[in-house]
Amino acid sequence: MSEGMETSAISVLKSAVELDGNGRFTEALACYREGIQLLMEVMKVTKNDVKVKAMRERISEYMTRAEKLKDHIEEDKKAGRYHEQYHITKDSKGHSYKTVFGKFIDEFLTEVEVEDPYIRNTHQIYNFLRFCELIIKPPSKVKIITLTTGSDEANVQQQKSRLEELKESVAKHGVKLNVIYSSTLHDREIRFNNGWIIKIGRGLDYFKPTGKFALGFCDFDFRLCHETTVDIFHSKHTKTAER
């Protein structure tokens, strides 16, 4: 069991170093923390003193880098200049909503604003539903979600009916969903009132379709993606915070 955990730790920490080198700092920090925790668990059950010493040294090195990375992120956040960009390449995997957004969900997040003109068709509304499931799932403290989107002129009643059903569903979990329709909205942006702002070129609709009995139908980390760009910013004042 410890061998398998050690292999996982090495893999996660390798990803952390690669992400760090590519400037994907928030993802790198999350991987450093996960990898360090796994390595510490392995160290607890390792009997070989030489190996324990080597692990302790590696953990110390990774912790030092993680702390420096955390300080760098916090410094840029405080200065209001944090910006991170990465590309989701065509047909790549491993970009579920949990992977992309999960690291920004913390105890300070209570409101989320989604601006996406294309939450209209069935699969687009399902995408938004999955996003809502992620940000509402305990221990999340989110209480308000505001969606601004365009009207599906061909099936406006169906669109409104489905979003109304979602509104009723999230209300049962103590969350208020506001839906605003705009005919002039073009940009796609997601704002968290803990300061994080995520802009994805394709909005929430960056997954390719797959069969209903294929991997990726439920777990989107297995789903092939369209090519798009993800921009991550941090601002001390978002629209929700200014209200």
Side-chain angles (χ1 to χ4, degrees):
M1 182 177 177
S2 62
E3 290 181 2
M5 191 177 294
E6 184 176 1
T7 301
S8 296
I10 292 169
S11 177
V12 172
L13 289 166
K14 181 180 178 181
S15 295
V17 173
E18 291 175 354
L19 291 165
D20 194 350
N22 291 326
R24 295 167 65 173
F25 299 134
T26 54
E27 290 179 275
L29 183 58
C31 285
Y32 277 128
R33 287 169 171 167
E34 181 183 352
I36 289 168
Q37 185 60 42
L38 286 170
L39 211 52
M40 289 177 71
E41 293 298 321
V42 174
M43 190 173 68
K44 289 178 183 178
V45 297
T46 300
K47 306 299 183 183
N48 187 309
D49 291 340
V50 175
K51 194 170 183 179
V52 168
K53 182 181 178 182
M55 284 185 185
R56 188 174 287 114
E57 290 174 353
R58 288 165 64 190
I59 288 170
S60 178
E61 291 174 3
Y62 286 126
M63 287 183 72
T64 298
R65 177 53 190 163
E67 283 300 316
K68 288 182 179 179
L69 198 55
K70 180 184 176 183
D71 290 343
H72 169 72
I73 293 171
E74 289 300 321
E75 182 180 331
D76 279 359
K77 282 167 59 178
K78 289 178 181 178
R81 63 172 183 259
Y82 187 85
H83 178 215
E84 174 184 339
Q85 182 184 84
Y86 65 92
H87 298 280
I88 295 177
T89 57
K90 181 181 178 182
D91 291 333
S92 61
K93 301 176 185 177
H95 304 289
S96 67
Y97 295 145
K98 182 178 180 180
T99 300
V100 173
F101 299 105
K103 52 188 169 289
F104 305 118
I105 301 173
D106 58 24
E107 67 272 23
F108 303 109
L109 179 64
T110 58
E111 298 184 36
V112 175
E113 291 187 22
V114 178
E115 292 185 353
D116 190 324
Y118 296 103
I119 307 297
R120 306 183 185 187
N121 299 331
T122 300
H123 80 278
Q124 294 166 340
I125 296 174
Y126 272 132
N127 285 342
F128 180 63
L129 165 61
R130 290 185 174 99
F131 175 78
C132 288
E133 288 176 336
L134 171 68
I135 61 174
I136 292 173
K137 188 175 182 179
S140 169
K141 296 183 178 180
V142 170
K143 294 301 179 185
I144 300 174
I145 301 170
T146 300
L147 168 67
T148 303
T149 190
S151 294
D152 182 359
E153 299 301 333
N155 295 287
V156 64
Q157 290 305 318
Q158 178 175 272
Q159 178 193 22
K160 288 185 176 181
S161 174
R162 288 171 174 172
L163 288 173
E164 186 63 32
E165 182 178 349
L166 178 55
K167 184 185 295 188
E168 293 173 1
S169 177
V170 300
K172 295 176 182 178
H173 294 268
V175 179
K176 181 180 180 182
L177 171 61
N178 302 310
V179 180
I180 301 169
Y181 296 94
S182 171
S183 60
T184 58
L185 182 66
H186 296 288
D187 294 336
R188 297 167 174 86
E189 181 173 298
I190 295 174
R191 293 185 294 273
F192 290 177
N193 74 333
N194 58 5
W196 291 107
I197 303 168
I198 302 96
K199 298 183 179 183
I200 304 177
R202 294 184 62 96
L204 294 173
D205 192 12
Y206 57 87
F207 296 106
K208 290 190 171 184
T210 190
K212 292 183 179 180
F213 298 96
L215 290 178
F217 182 72
C218 296
D219 186 341
F220 275 25
D221 271 324
F222 288 104
R223 184 78 71 95
L224 296 177
C225 294
H226 293 287
E227 182 175 359
T228 194
T229 300
V230 180
D231 283 284
I232 301 166
F233 302 89
H234 191 278
S235 173
K236 288 183 287 186
H237 300 288
T238 64
K239 288 183 179 179
T240 48
E242 290 170 353
R243 287 177 182 166

